[in-house]
Amino acid sequence: MTDSEWDKLLQIKTTGRDDTHADVYRYPYEPTPYSVLERLANAGYIRKGNTLLDYGCGKGRVDFFLSWQTRCHSIGVEYDERIYEKAIENLTSGTASRRVSFLLANAEHFAVPEEVDRIYFFNPFSLQILQKAMSRIFASYYAAPRDILLFFYYPSDEYMAYLLSADELTVFDEIDCRDLEGNNERERVVIFALKGMDYGED
């Protein structure tokens, strides 16, 4: 299915790029391809009992698709009020709306809810903001220890250098997506886990 066909099935509008309010710290809105989201959903790391936090959610594609496909709950965080309003419009019509919510907030100041145990990034902002967002994630974990997986789609070299050097994180898995989007080496979802967590079979 094409991205437009998926949008129609989910009864949302998420296609197109928007860089109206982009700057050196916050990057343009560009939705994750549905083909990548299908592969992520089929990997089995997001399930009905999970709560997904989507940083830089834009119009909500990740949230609606993964909530529909895996039955997880999803929280989208968006700083751009105009794009956030598009997500809210999708909430009125979207197929999985009962399991989706959106918040207008800056990632560096957002307190991560204790129920969040899955977190998604598609290069929404600069390394400086990522570091601040990660400190919020770590604080949430230490306040309420739990299994947390972090998914980074199309990660930049500077993102990876930082994540690989973070004492709190360990590489958990990688989902290769090069065959889906043009054989680019960055076409992958790198999954990190908080160290010390046991991700055995349940």
Side-chain angles (χ1 to χ4, degrees):
M1 288 175 61
T2 66
D3 284 3
S4 295
E5 288 170 338
W6 271 115
D7 262 15
K8 185 175 181 180
L9 175 65
L10 296 175
Q11 300 180 49
I12 56 178
K13 295 179 180 179
T14 63
T15 57
R17 176 186 169 102
D18 189 327
D19 56 5
T20 307
H21 292 158
D23 56 29
V24 297
Y25 296 108
R26 294 177 175 86
Y27 301 155
Y29 164 72
E30 185 175 2
T32 303
Y34 277 110
S35 57
V36 172
L37 294 178
E38 283 186 86
R39 189 157 290 179
L40 174 57
N42 291 336
Y45 296 131
I46 304 172
R47 301 178 181 177
K48 185 176 181 180
N50 296 129
T51 297
L52 175 79
L53 175 60
D54 175 19
Y55 278 107
C57 68
K59 300 173 185 177
R61 175 181 294 186
V62 168
D63 310 274
F64 286 107
F65 179 85
L66 291 176
S67 293
W68 176 79
Q69 186 80 0
T70 72
R71 298 297 188 262
C72 73
H73 283 83
S74 185
I75 302 169
V77 175
E78 175 59 48
Y79 92 101
D80 186 322
E81 186 170 356
R82 192 170 59 82
I83 295 178
Y84 166 79
E85 289 172 356
K86 297 292 185 182
I88 295 300
E89 288 177 16
N90 283 329
L91 203 57
T92 64
S93 60
T95 301
S97 293
R98 291 183 296 105
R99 291 184 294 275
V100 175
S101 62
F102 297 110
L103 298 169
L104 182 64
N106 290 325
E108 60 266 45
H109 304 305
F110 180 71
V112 177
E114 291 184 358
E115 67 268 24
V116 167
D117 57 3
R118 300 292 184 267
I119 303 175
Y120 183 85
F121 298 83
F122 175 18
N123 298 328
F125 33 62
S126 68
L127 178 61
Q128 294 92 329
I129 295 180
L130 173 65
Q131 291 170 325
K132 293 176 181 177
M134 291 301 297
S135 69
R136 294 282 184 170
I137 293 168
F138 297 148
S140 177
Y141 166 73
Y142 289 122
R146 62 212 187 265
D147 292 0
I148 298 179
L149 291 178
L150 301 98
F151 306 93
F152 290 86
Y153 169 58
Y154 205 82
S156 66
D157 289 342
E158 63 176 3
Y159 264 39
M160 287 301 298
Y162 162 68
L163 295 166
L164 290 171
S165 68
D167 291 337
E168 298 89 345
L169 299 174
T170 185
V171 175
F172 180 71
D173 199 0
E174 180 176 312
I175 301 172
D176 188 355
C177 301
R178 286 175 296 175
D179 60 311
L180 300 175
E181 295 292 324
N183 204 32
N184 185 322
E185 288 298 320
R186 287 178 62 184
E187 286 291 350
R188 55 183 178 153
V189 179
V190 182
I191 307 172
F192 286 85
L194 289 176
K195 284 183 178 177
M197 303 309 299
D198 177 14
Y199 288 96
E201 293 296 320
D202 52 18

